[in-house]
Amino acid sequence: MVWWPVGASLFASNVGSGHFIGLAGSGAASGIAATAYEWNGMFSVLVLAWLFLPIYMAAGVTTMPEYLQKRFGGKRIQMFLAILYLFIYIFTKISVDMYAGALFIQQALHWDLYIAVVGLLAITAVYTVAGGLAAVIYTDALQTFIMLIGAVTLMVFSFAEVGGLEGLQTKYFDAIPSSRKENSSCGLPRKDAFHIFRDPVNSDLPWPGVLVGMTIPSLWYWCTDQVIVQRSLAAKNLSHAKGGSLMTSYLKILPLFMMVMPGMISRVLFPDLVACADADICRKICGNPSGCSDIAYPKLVLELLPTGLRGLMMSVMIAALMSSLTSIFNSASTIFTMDLWKHFRPRCSEWELMIVGRVFVLLLTVVSILWIPLVQAGQGGQLFIYIQSISSYLQPPVAVVFMLGCFWRRANEKGAFWGLVIGLLLGVIRLVLDFIYPEPQCGETDLRPGVVKYMHYLYFSMVLATISTLTVLVVSLLTEPPSEEMISRLTWFTRGDLPAKTDLAVSPSPDAAKGVCEAERPALQIDISIASENSSNDTKCPANSKGSSKLLTTLLWLCGMERKQQSTENAAPAKPEPLPGAGLEEKPLVKHVLNVNLLLCVCAGIFLWAYFA
């Protein structure tokens, strides 16, 4: 894949409907500070291309668990991360996406939030069965393109409505709801609304936390998350991957003007709705007593855009959310069945895995719906800040393990495992405390424990990363060093090692001995054939018998298990695997152009940070 689809795909994977709602809501509630998360990503995506991708390409891996397997060995780290990723899916992806989509439906049709959630899930189920994953892949790019057109159009309409940037800077501080408690700060815009760097002690986003604490989860997301890295590894070679990252980095400049500031404009235009300060009034407006800032973007879409564009924007937003939900459900089901269920029941049948996967997705959906009230109440009703706080509790230990694994040769499996365990144990404790002692509403006395009240989640991210790093360092140094095969071509300093002879030798694939049916499976798919009692049929592909009932065929189709008749003679021969690191070579001229662009992009990012600091 060439550089521009890679860049567009990275941006599309990162910026979805929840992003529009969350960033606009944070802009309406507290100003431009949430932009720091986006501009932090400007640098992290470049770190991926220039530092991490050469290691992944040299290692010849296609997934992040595969890298950890090669680098550390054993299975407990992979199982531990599988469980962690399922929790992250629930806390920051499924429930957030459902909530974001339901908000759009609620504002457009004036339905109850939970009826909207059920409606969204029902449509998603039909969408998944009718179109499947292929529909998600083919429509993502078009949806993102239309979303960007709609977002830029809405931005133009919004700025025209308030008289440009100068008008926004003046009118934002007058956007005060008519019904608020006198002699209190409830409902008043923040005085530092147009600053990214804020007070290190008493602000909502302290500047030391923004610079350091925010960078750690950002590195996890951009440099080690499977969705992002997979898209970068799809590039033709390292040069195209770098070009894609540069494109994404430049596009990350847009969210301030395309999402955050329109959210602030929404507060100016609808102060009694978006900036409501009374819990009872907020509950009537949006069903959330903590605040209604998250309705800022849907409100703009419904009130400012012309009728045709409004409907198109709404439909694309909902379609993008359904695409996201479908992808997440598929990933969660795969992680649970392949990494967990298959580990405990290695001889389970294809039917068992199918049923377990479907039941698990249903369970995941129910848990996510039950989690929505906590999403609403989290971080004063700001969806985007809720996502970032959860990330700060769960992601730093994983980021530390990847960074030390890539850049410290002495890191071993025991150090990585105990760094993960201790770091995540502390993170989960803080997460539980956050939900037991929620942030008080404006005007209420803060009775939370000191560790929750005084330690901002970005500062906690820094502490968590430090403890995890020290644990990995100490345990690794006190135990045996990793073997040479767990270091060669798997760290920054050994990425140029020559491949082992076993990598270069052409040996028959074990799949070939099992027949064409096995060889046709993707490399990342586990063996889900019927257990050994049917081993005599291993060399035959499953096919529909002519007498099979239409009911059974329909059931198989609904479950995504169509049995296609295949003949061994028509099977395409498997393509030879490319050698590890084959795409690392760069032409000198292209390399210089990319490095100059890197310098320009970093300078642009620093200028933006300094200008809005």
Side-chain angles (χ1 to χ4, degrees):
M1 194 181 289
V2 294
W3 63 272
W4 63 268
V6 172
S9 181
L10 284 172
F11 187 70
S13 302
N14 173 236
V15 177
S17 302
H19 234 70
F20 279 86
I21 287 174
L23 275 175
S26 291
S30 62
I32 69 170
T35 311
Y37 289 100
E38 299 305 295
W39 289 353
N40 200 299
M42 282 181 69
F43 301 107
S44 295
V45 71
L46 298 175
V47 171
L48 165 68
W50 265 263
L51 294 181
F52 282 86
L53 272 184
I55 302 171
Y56 299 150
M57 286 182 167
V61 299
T62 53
T63 70
M64 295 300 92
E66 185 184 357
Y67 173 77
L68 289 177
Q69 171 68 36
K70 284 190 172 185
R71 178 64 180 85
F72 294 118
K75 286 190 175 182
R76 57 182 183 174
I77 291 179
Q78 285 75 13
M79 288 192 62
F80 199 79
L81 287 182
I83 296 169
L84 172 66
Y85 282 140
L86 291 176
F87 277 105
I88 290 176
Y89 279 146
I90 293 172
F91 295 153
T92 67
K93 292 182 181 288
I94 301 175
S95 53
V96 166
D97 276 350
M98 288 195 294
Y99 174 58
L103 263 183
F104 260 104
I105 297 173
Q106 181 197 50
Q107 292 302 307
L109 304 177
H110 302 289
W111 288 1
D112 177 77
L113 186 74
Y114 289 94
I115 294 175
V117 166
V118 172
L120 182 66
L121 285 171
I123 299 168
T124 305
V126 174
Y127 177 80
T128 307
V129 171
L133 198 56
V136 177
I137 295 167
Y138 287 125
T139 54
D140 268 353
L142 178 62
Q143 287 166 0
T144 304
F145 180 66
I146 298 174
M147 263 199 294
L148 286 175
I149 292 175
V152 171
T153 307
L154 183 59
M155 178 184 74
V156 172
F157 274 92
S158 303
F159 276 108
E161 195 74 20
V162 294
L165 183 58
E166 291 182 2
L168 174 61
Q169 289 174 328
T170 303
K171 295 176 182 178
Y172 181 78
F173 295 103
D174 297 326
I176 301 169
S178 56
S179 56
R180 53 177 289 270
K181 297 174 183 177
E182 296 296 331
N183 301 320
S184 76
S185 60
C186 300
L188 295 178
R190 293 185 62 93
K191 294 179 180 178
D192 54 5
F194 285 89
H195 299 283
I196 290 180
F197 284 180
R198 297 181 175 180
D199 187 273
V201 178
N202 300 316
S203 68
D204 58 336
L205 286 174
W207 69 263
V210 165
L211 287 178
V212 182
M214 190 181 285
T215 303
I216 300 161
S218 181
L219 286 173
W220 173 87
Y221 179 79
W222 287 104
C223 301
T224 71
D225 184 58
Q226 175 62 27
V227 175
I228 298 296
V229 176
Q230 193 174 34
R231 279 150 178 77
S232 296
L233 289 173
K236 286 173 66 175
N237 51 42
L238 185 58
S239 296
H240 281 278
K242 287 181 176 181
S245 287
L246 280 166
M247 177 181 171
T248 305
S249 188
Y250 282 121
L251 287 173
K252 293 293 282 181
I253 295 172
L254 296 177
L256 171 64
F257 308 101
M258 214 167 59
M259 302 172 203
V260 178
M261 285 187 173
M264 299 171 75
I265 292 170
S266 184
R267 177 182 179 128
V268 172
L269 298 177
F270 318 107
D272 288 334
L273 301 177
V274 175
C276 68
D278 185 273
D280 295 328
I281 295 174
C282 290
R283 190 178 283 108
K284 290 177 184 176
I285 294 170
C286 64
N288 186 2
S290 298
C292 290
S293 58
D294 284 335
I295 70 168
Y297 204 81
K299 204 71 189 168
L300 273 186
V301 171
L302 294 168
E303 299 293 338
L304 285 192
L305 288 180
T307 305
L309 196 56
R310 182 193 314 162
L312 182 65
M313 189 73 172
M314 286 289 294
S315 61
V316 167
M317 286 282 188
I318 298 299
L321 277 166
M322 291 192 298
S323 296
S324 177
L325 280 175
T326 308
S327 301
I328 294 165
F329 284 151
N330 181 70
S331 298
S333 174
T334 303
I335 287 173
F336 183 78
T337 54
M338 290 185 179
D339 293 343
L340 297 176
W341 191 265
K342 188 72 176 177
H343 178 76
F344 293 109
R345 288 182 54 81
R347 297 164 68 88
C348 60
S349 68
E350 182 179 359
W351 282 97
E352 181 179 335
L353 283 176
M354 181 271 291
I355 293 168
V356 167
R358 267 54 176 185
V359 171
F360 179 72
V361 167
L362 285 175
L363 180 64
L364 209 61
T365 305
V366 172
V367 173
S368 299
I369 292 174
L370 295 175
W371 194 260
I372 286 178
L374 296 173
V375 176
Q376 282 183 297
Q379 299 300 324
Q382 293 187 56
L383 179 66
F384 194 74
I385 303 302
Y386 159 82
I387 297 170
Q388 303 307 330
S389 64
I390 299 290
S391 301
S392 297
Y393 303 148
L394 299 179
Q395 293 167 4
V398 186
V400 163
V401 165
F402 268 98
M403 285 189 282
L404 289 176
C406 286
F407 299 102
W408 189 43
R409 298 173 57 161
R410 187 62 175 78
N412 62 16
E413 193 270 348
K414 291 184 176 66
F417 177 74
W418 286 109
L420 278 175
V421 169
I422 292 174
L424 288 169
L425 184 63
L426 293 174
V428 169
I429 291 172
R430 173 61 196 263
L431 179 66
V432 171
L433 286 174
D434 255 20
F435 288 116
I436 294 176
Y437 302 102
E439 185 179 347
Q441 294 177 11
C442 186
E444 294 181 353
T445 307
D446 194 343
L447 300 175
R448 295 177 295 170
V451 68
V452 178
K453 182 178 179 180
Y454 298 114
M455 182 175 279
H456 193 276
Y457 63 84
L458 290 177
Y459 288 147
F460 187 81
S461 171
M462 296 161 64
V463 172
L464 203 54
T466 303
I467 292 173
S468 299
T469 302
L470 289 174
T471 304
V472 176
L473 290 173
V474 171
V475 175
S476 293
L477 289 172
L478 292 177
T479 53
E480 67 279 359
S483 62
E484 188 60 34
E485 62 187 25
M486 289 184 179
I487 299 173
S488 179
R489 302 181 68 82
L490 293 167
T491 72
W492 174 260
F493 306 101
T494 59
R495 69 190 189 283
D497 290 0
L498 291 174
K501 291 182 180 179
T502 52
D503 292 339
L504 299 174
V506 179
S507 58
S509 168
D511 285 329
K514 296 182 181 179
V516 179
C517 180
E518 296 286 328
E520 284 177 347
R521 289 193 182 122
L524 302 180
Q525 193 170 345
I526 57 165
D527 179 10
I528 53 174
S529 58
I530 307 300
S532 59
E533 57 263 29
N534 296 332
S535 58
S536 60
N537 296 324
D538 277 353
T539 57
K540 297 179 183 178
C541 292
N544 270 341
S545 61
K546 293 181 180 178
S548 63
S549 68
K550 291 183 179 179
L551 180 63
L552 180 59
T553 305
T554 305
L555 180 63
L556 287 171
W557 177 77
L558 284 171
C559 293
M561 293 179 63
E562 303 98 319
R563 297 186 176 186
K564 299 176 181 177
Q565 291 188 358
Q566 294 266 353
S567 58
T568 55
E569 60 269 16
N570 292 335
K575 294 181 180 178
E577 288 288 325
L579 290 176
L584 284 173
E585 298 82 10
E586 294 181 90
K587 294 179 181 177
L589 178 61
V590 174
K591 187 173 182 179
H592 289 317
V593 170
L594 288 169
N595 287 338
V596 169
N597 262 282
L598 170 68
L599 190 61
L600 289 174
C601 195
V602 169
C603 289
I606 293 172
F607 170 77
L608 287 168
W609 275 90
Y611 184 80
F612 288 98

Coordinates of all heavy atoms in Angstrom, one line a residue, residues 350-413:
E350 N -15.1 -26.3 16.0 CA -15.5 -25.0 15.3 C -16.8 -24.5 15.8 O -17.0 -23.3 16.0 CB -15.5 -25.3 13.8 CG -15.8 -24.0 12.9 CD -15.8 -24.4 11.5 OE1 -15.6 -25.5 11.1 OE2 -16.1 -23.4 10.7
W351 N -17.8 -25.4 16.0 CA -19.1 -25.0 16.4 C -19.0 -24.4 17.8 O -19.7 -23.4 18.1 CB -20.0 -26.2 16.5 CG -20.6 -26.6 15.2 CD1 -20.1 -27.6 14.3 CD2 -21.6 -26.0 14.5 NE1 -20.8 -27.6 13.2 CE2 -21.8 -26.7 13.2 CE3 -22.5 -25.0 14.8 CZ2 -22.7 -26.4 12.3 CZ3 -23.5 -24.7 13.8 CH2 -23.6 -25.3 12.6
E352 N -18.2 -25.0 18.7 CA -18.1 -24.5 20.1 C -17.5 -23.1 20.1 O -18.0 -22.2 20.7 CB -17.2 -25.4 20.9 CG -17.0 -25.0 22.3 CD -16.2 -25.9 23.1 OE1 -16.1 -27.1 22.8 OE2 -15.5 -25.5 24.1
L353 N -16.4 -22.9 19.2 CA -15.8 -21.5 19.2 C -16.8 -20.5 18.6 O -16.9 -19.4 19.1 CB -14.6 -21.6 18.3 CG -13.3 -22.2 18.9 CD1 -12.2 -22.3 17.9 CD2 -12.9 -21.4 20.1
M354 N -17.6 -20.9 17.6 CA -18.6 -20.0 17.0 C -19.6 -19.6 18.1 O -19.9 -18.4 18.3 CB -19.3 -20.7 15.9 CG -20.4 -19.8 15.2 SD -22.0 -20.0 15.9 CE -22.4 -21.7 15.4
I355 N -20.2 -20.6 18.8 CA -21.2 -20.3 19.8 C -20.6 -19.4 21.0 O -21.2 -18.4 21.4 CB -21.8 -21.6 20.4 CG1 -22.5 -22.3 19.3 CG2 -22.7 -21.3 21.6 CD1 -22.9 -23.7 19.6
V356 N -19.4 -19.8 21.4 CA -18.7 -19.1 22.5 C -18.5 -17.6 22.1 O -18.7 -16.7 22.9 CB -17.4 -19.7 22.9 CG1 -16.6 -18.8 23.8 CG2 -17.7 -21.0 23.7
G357 N -18.0 -17.4 20.8 CA -17.7 -16.1 20.3 C -19.0 -15.2 20.3 O -19.0 -14.1 20.8
R358 N -20.1 -15.8 19.8 CA -21.4 -15.0 19.8 C -21.9 -14.7 21.2 O -22.3 -13.6 21.4 CB -22.4 -15.8 19.0 CG -22.5 -15.5 17.5 CD -21.2 -15.7 16.8 NE -21.3 -15.5 15.4 CZ -20.3 -15.6 14.6 NH1 -19.1 -16.0 15.1 NH2 -20.4 -15.5 13.3
V359 N -21.9 -15.7 22.1 CA -22.3 -15.5 23.4 C -21.5 -14.4 24.1 O -22.0 -13.6 24.9 CB -22.3 -16.8 24.2 CG1 -22.6 -16.5 25.7 CG2 -23.4 -17.8 23.7
F360 N -20.2 -14.5 23.9 CA -19.3 -13.5 24.5 C -19.6 -12.1 24.1 O -19.6 -11.1 24.8 CB -17.8 -13.9 24.2 CG -16.9 -12.9 24.9 CD1 -16.7 -12.8 26.2 CD2 -16.2 -12.0 24.1 CE1 -15.8 -11.9 26.8 CE2 -15.3 -11.0 24.6 CZ -15.1 -11.0 26.0
V361 N -19.9 -11.9 22.8 CA -20.2 -10.6 22.2 C -21.5 -10.1 22.9 O -21.6 -8.9 23.2 CB -20.3 -10.6 20.7 CG1 -21.0 -9.3 20.2 CG2 -19.0 -10.8 20.1
L362 N -22.5 -11.0 23.1 CA -23.7 -10.6 23.8 C -23.4 -10.1 25.2 O -23.9 -9.1 25.6 CB -24.7 -11.7 23.8 CG -25.4 -12.1 22.4 CD1 -26.3 -13.3 22.6 CD2 -26.3 -10.9 22.0
L363 N -22.6 -10.9 25.9 CA -22.2 -10.6 27.3 C -21.5 -9.2 27.3 O -21.8 -8.4 28.2 CB -21.3 -11.7 27.8 CG -20.9 -11.5 29.3 CD1 -22.0 -11.5 30.2 CD2 -19.9 -12.6 29.7
L364 N -20.6 -9.0 26.3 CA -19.8 -7.8 26.2 C -20.8 -6.6 26.0 O -20.6 -5.5 26.6 CB -18.9 -7.9 25.1 CG -17.5 -7.1 25.1 CD1 -16.7 -7.5 26.3 CD2 -16.8 -7.3 23.8
T365 N -21.8 -6.8 25.2 CA -22.7 -5.7 24.9 C -23.5 -5.4 26.2 O -23.7 -4.2 26.5 CB -23.7 -6.2 23.8 OG1 -23.0 -6.6 22.7 CG2 -24.6 -5.1 23.4
V366 N -24.0 -6.4 26.9 CA -24.8 -6.1 28.1 C -23.9 -5.4 29.1 O -24.4 -4.4 29.7 CB -25.3 -7.4 28.7 CG1 -25.9 -7.2 30.1 CG2 -26.3 -8.1 27.8
V367 N -22.7 -5.8 29.3 CA -21.8 -5.1 30.3 C -21.5 -3.7 29.9 O -21.5 -2.8 30.7 CB -20.4 -5.9 30.4 CG1 -19.5 -5.1 31.3 CG2 -20.7 -7.3 31.0
S368 N -21.3 -3.5 28.6 CA -21.1 -2.1 28.1 C -22.3 -1.2 28.3 O -22.1 0.0 28.6 CB -20.7 -2.2 26.6 OG -19.5 -3.0 26.4
I369 N -23.5 -1.7 28.1 CA -24.7 -0.9 28.3 C -24.8 -0.5 29.8 O -25.1 0.6 30.1 CB -26.0 -1.7 27.8 CG1 -26.0 -1.8 26.3 CG2 -27.2 -1.0 28.3 CD1 -27.1 -2.7 25.8
L370 N -24.5 -1.5 30.6 CA -24.6 -1.2 32.1 C -23.5 -0.2 32.5 O -23.6 0.5 33.5 CB -24.4 -2.5 32.9 CG -25.5 -3.6 32.7 CD1 -25.1 -4.9 33.4 CD2 -26.8 -3.0 33.2
W371 N -22.4 -0.1 31.7 CA -21.3 0.8 32.0 C -21.6 2.3 31.6 O -21.0 3.2 32.0 CB -20.0 0.3 31.3 CG -18.8 1.0 31.8 CD1 -18.1 2.0 31.2 CD2 -18.1 0.7 33.0 NE1 -17.0 2.3 32.0 CE2 -17.0 1.5 33.1 CE3 -18.3 -0.3 34.1 CZ2 -16.1 1.5 34.2 CZ3 -17.4 -0.3 35.1 CH2 -16.3 0.5 35.2
I372 N -22.6 2.4 30.7 CA -22.9 3.8 30.1 C -23.2 4.8 31.2 O -22.7 6.0 31.0 CB -24.1 3.7 29.1 CG1 -23.5 3.0 27.8 CG2 -24.6 5.1 28.8 CD1 -24.6 2.8 26.7
P373 N -23.9 4.6 32.3 CA -24.1 5.6 33.3 C -22.8 6.1 33.9 O -22.7 7.3 34.2 CB -25.0 4.9 34.4 CG -25.7 3.8 33.7 CD -24.7 3.4 32.6
L374 N -21.8 5.2 34.0 CA -20.5 5.6 34.5 C -19.8 6.5 33.5 O -19.0 7.4 33.8 CB -19.7 4.4 34.9 CG -20.3 3.6 36.1 CD1 -19.5 2.3 36.3 CD2 -20.3 4.4 37.3
V375 N -20.0 6.2 32.2 CA -19.4 7.0 31.1 C -20.0 8.4 31.2 O -19.3 9.4 31.0 CB -19.7 6.4 29.7 CG1 -19.2 7.3 28.6 CG2 -19.0 5.0 29.6
Q376 N -21.3 8.5 31.4 CA -22.0 9.8 31.5 C -21.5 10.6 32.6 O -21.2 11.8 32.5 CB -23.5 9.6 31.7 CG -24.3 9.2 30.4 CD -25.8 9.1 30.7 OE1 -26.2 8.2 31.5 NE2 -26.6 9.9 30.1
A377 N -21.3 10.0 33.8 CA -21.0 10.7 35.0 C -19.5 11.0 35.1 O -19.0 11.9 35.8 CB -21.4 9.9 36.2
G378 N -18.7 10.2 34.3 CA -17.2 10.3 34.5 C -16.7 11.7 34.1 O -17.1 12.2 33.0
Q379 N -15.7 12.2 34.8 CA -15.0 13.4 34.5 C -15.9 14.6 34.2 O -15.8 15.3 33.2 CB -14.0 13.2 33.4 CG -13.0 12.1 33.7 CD -12.1 12.5 34.9 OE1 -11.8 13.7 35.1 NE2 -11.7 11.5 35.7
G380 N -17.0 14.8 35.1 CA -17.8 15.9 34.9 C -18.7 15.9 33.6 O -19.1 16.9 33.1
G381 N -19.0 14.7 33.1 CA -19.8 14.6 31.9 C -19.0 14.8 30.6 O -19.7 15.0 29.6
Q382 N -17.7 14.9 30.6 CA -16.9 15.1 29.4 C -16.4 13.8 28.9 O -15.6 13.1 29.5 CB -15.7 16.0 29.7 CG -16.1 17.5 30.0 CD -14.9 18.3 30.1 OE1 -14.1 18.4 29.2 NE2 -14.7 19.0 31.2
L383 N -17.0 13.4 27.8 CA -16.7 12.0 27.2 C -15.2 11.9 26.9 O -14.6 10.8 27.2 CB -17.5 11.8 25.9 CG -17.4 10.5 25.2 CD1 -17.9 9.4 26.0 CD2 -18.1 10.5 23.8
F384 N -14.6 12.9 26.2 CA -13.2 12.7 25.8 C -12.3 12.6 27.0 O -11.3 11.8 27.0 CB -12.8 13.9 24.9 CG -11.6 13.7 24.2 CD1 -11.5 12.9 23.1 CD2 -10.4 14.3 24.5 CE1 -10.3 12.6 22.4 CE2 -9.2 14.1 23.8 CZ -9.2 13.3 22.8
I385 N -12.5 13.4 28.0 CA -11.7 13.4 29.2 C -11.9 12.1 30.0 O -10.9 11.5 30.5 CB -12.0 14.6 30.2 CG1 -11.8 15.9 29.4 CG2 -11.1 14.6 31.4 CD1 -10.4 16.1 28.8
Y386 N -13.1 11.5 30.0 CA -13.3 10.2 30.5 C -12.4 9.2 29.9 O -11.8 8.4 30.5 CB -14.8 9.8 30.4 CG -15.0 8.3 30.5 CD1 -15.1 7.7 31.7 CD2 -15.1 7.5 29.4 CE1 -15.3 6.3 31.8 CE2 -15.3 6.2 29.4 CZ -15.4 5.6 30.7 OH -15.6 4.2 30.8
I387 N -12.4 9.2 28.5 CA -11.6 8.2 27.8 C -10.1 8.3 28.2 O -9.4 7.3 28.4 CB -11.7 8.4 26.2 CG1 -13.2 8.2 25.8 CG2 -10.8 7.5 25.5 CD1 -13.5 8.6 24.4
Q388 N -9.6 9.6 28.2 CA -8.2 9.8 28.5 C -7.8 9.4 30.0 O -6.7 8.9 30.2 CB -7.8 11.3 28.3 CG -8.1 11.7 26.9 CD -7.5 10.9 25.8 OE1 -6.5 10.2 26.0 NE2 -8.1 10.8 24.6
S389 N -8.8 9.6 30.9 CA -8.5 9.2 32.3 C -8.4 7.7 32.4 O -7.4 7.2 33.1 CB -9.5 9.8 33.2 OG -10.8 9.2 33.0
I390 N -9.3 6.9 31.8 CA -9.2 5.5 31.8 C -7.9 5.0 31.2 O -7.2 4.1 31.7 CB -10.4 4.8 31.1 CG1 -11.7 5.2 31.7 CG2 -10.2 3.3 31.0 CD1 -12.0 4.7 33.0
S391 N -7.5 5.7 30.0 CA -6.3 5.3 29.4 C -5.1 5.5 30.3 O -4.1 4.7 30.3 CB -6.1 6.1 28.1 OG -7.2 5.9 27.2
S392 N -5.1 6.6 31.1 CA -4.0 6.9 32.0 C -3.8 5.9 33.1 O -2.8 5.8 33.7 CB -4.2 8.3 32.6 OG -4.1 9.3 31.5
Y393 N -4.9 5.1 33.4 CA -4.8 4.1 34.5 C -4.4 2.8 33.9 O -3.8 2.0 34.7 CB -6.2 4.0 35.2 CG -6.7 5.3 35.7 CD1 -8.1 5.5 35.8 CD2 -5.9 6.2 36.2 CE1 -8.6 6.7 36.4 CE2 -6.4 7.4 36.8 CZ -7.7 7.6 36.8 OH -8.2 8.8 37.4
L394 N -4.7 2.5 32.7 CA -4.5 1.1 32.2 C -3.3 0.9 31.2 O -2.8 -0.1 31.0 CB -5.8 0.6 31.5 CG -7.0 0.5 32.4 CD1 -8.2 0.0 31.6 CD2 -6.8 -0.4 33.6
Q395 N -3.0 2.0 30.5 CA -2.1 1.9 29.4 C -0.6 2.1 29.7 O 0.3 1.5 29.0 CB -2.5 2.8 28.2 CG -3.8 2.3 27.6 CD -4.5 3.4 26.7 OE1 -3.9 4.4 26.4 NE2 -5.7 3.1 26.2
P396 N -0.2 2.9 30.7 CA 1.2 3.2 30.9 C 2.1 1.9 31.1 O 3.2 1.8 30.5 CB 1.2 4.1 32.1 CG 0.0 4.9 32.0 CD -1.0 3.9 31.5
P397 N 1.6 0.9 31.9 CA 2.5 -0.3 32.1 C 2.8 -1.0 30.8 O 3.9 -1.5 30.5 CB 1.7 -1.2 33.0 CG 0.8 -0.2 33.8 CD 0.4 0.8 32.8
V398 N 1.8 -1.1 29.9 CA 1.9 -1.8 28.6 C 2.9 -1.0 27.7 O 3.8 -1.5 27.1 CB 0.6 -1.9 27.9 CG1 0.8 -2.7 26.6 CG2 -0.5 -2.6 28.8
A399 N 2.8 0.4 27.7 CA 3.7 1.2 26.9 C 5.1 1.0 27.4 O 6.0 0.9 26.6 CB 3.3 2.7 27.1
V400 N 5.3 1.0 28.7 CA 6.7 0.8 29.3 C 7.3 -0.5 28.9 O 8.5 -0.6 28.5 CB 6.6 0.9 30.8 CG1 7.9 0.3 31.5 CG2 6.4 2.3 31.3
V401 N 6.5 -1.6 28.9 CA 7.0 -2.9 28.5 C 7.4 -2.9 27.1 O 8.5 -3.5 26.7 CB 5.9 -4.0 28.8 CG1 6.3 -5.3 28.1 CG2 5.8 -4.3 30.3
F402 N 6.6 -2.3 26.2 CA 7.0 -2.3 24.8 C 8.3 -1.4 24.6 O 9.2 -1.8 23.8 CB 5.8 -1.7 23.9 CG 4.9 -2.7 23.4 CD1 3.7 -3.0 24.0 CD2 5.2 -3.4 22.2 CE1 2.9 -4.0 23.5 CE2 4.4 -4.4 21.7 CZ 3.2 -4.7 22.4
M403 N 8.3 -0.3 25.2 CA 9.5 0.6 25.0 C 10.8 0.0 25.5 O 11.8 0.0 24.8 CB 9.2 2.0 25.7 CG 8.3 2.9 25.0 SD 8.2 4.5 25.7 CE 7.1 4.3 27.1
L404 N 10.7 -0.7 26.7 CA 11.9 -1.3 27.2 C 12.3 -2.6 26.4 O 13.4 -2.9 26.1 CB 11.7 -1.7 28.7 CG 11.7 -0.5 29.7 CD1 11.4 -1.0 31.1 CD2 13.0 0.2 29.6
G405 N 11.2 -3.3 25.9 CA 11.5 -4.4 25.1 C 12.2 -4.0 23.7 O 13.1 -4.7 23.2
C406 N 11.8 -2.9 23.2 CA 12.4 -2.4 21.9 C 13.7 -1.7 22.1 O 14.6 -1.8 21.2 CB 11.4 -1.4 21.3 SG 9.9 -2.2 20.6
F407 N 14.0 -1.1 23.2 CA 15.2 -0.3 23.3 C 16.1 -0.7 24.5 O 17.1 0.0 24.7 CB 14.8 1.2 23.5 CG 14.0 1.7 22.3 CD1 12.6 1.9 22.4 CD2 14.6 2.1 21.1 CE1 11.9 2.3 21.3 CE2 13.9 2.5 20.1 CZ 12.5 2.7 20.2
W408 N 15.8 -1.8 25.2 CA 16.8 -2.2 26.2 C 16.9 -3.8 26.0 O 16.0 -4.5 26.2 CB 16.2 -1.9 27.6 CG 17.2 -2.2 28.7 CD1 18.6 -1.9 28.7 CD2 16.9 -2.8 30.0 NE1 19.1 -2.3 29.9 CE2 18.2 -2.9 30.7 CE3 15.8 -3.4 30.6 CZ2 18.3 -3.5 31.9 CZ3 15.9 -3.9 31.8 CH2 17.1 -4.0 32.5
R409 N 18.1 -4.2 25.6 CA 18.4 -5.6 25.3 C 18.2 -6.5 26.5 O 17.9 -7.7 26.4 CB 19.8 -5.7 24.7 CG 20.0 -5.0 23.4 CD 21.4 -5.0 23.0 NE 21.9 -6.4 22.8 CZ 23.0 -6.7 22.1 NH1 23.6 -5.7 21.4 NH2 23.3 -7.9 21.9
R410 N 18.5 -5.9 27.7 CA 18.5 -6.8 28.9 C 17.1 -7.1 29.5 O 16.9 -8.0 30.3 CB 19.3 -6.1 30.0 CG 19.6 -6.8 31.3 CD 20.4 -8.1 31.0 NE 20.8 -8.8 32.2 CZ 19.9 -9.6 32.9 NH1 18.7 -9.7 32.5 NH2 20.4 -10.2 34.0
A411 N 16.0 -6.4 29.0 CA 14.7 -6.7 29.4 C 14.3 -8.2 29.1 O 14.5 -8.6 28.0 CB 13.7 -5.8 28.8
N412 N 13.7 -8.9 30.1 CA 13.4 -10.3 29.9 C 11.9 -10.5 30.3 O 11.2 -9.6 30.7 CB 14.3 -11.2 30.7 CG 14.2 -11.0 32.2 OD1 13.3 -10.4 32.7 ND2 15.2 -11.5 32.9
E413 N 11.4 -11.7 30.1 CA 10.0 -12.1 30.3 C 9.6 -11.8 31.7 O 8.5 -11.3 32.0 CB 9.8 -13.5 29.9 CG 8.3 -13.9 29.7 CD 7.7 -14.4 31.0 OE1 8.5 -14.7 32.0 OE2 6.4 -14.5 31.1

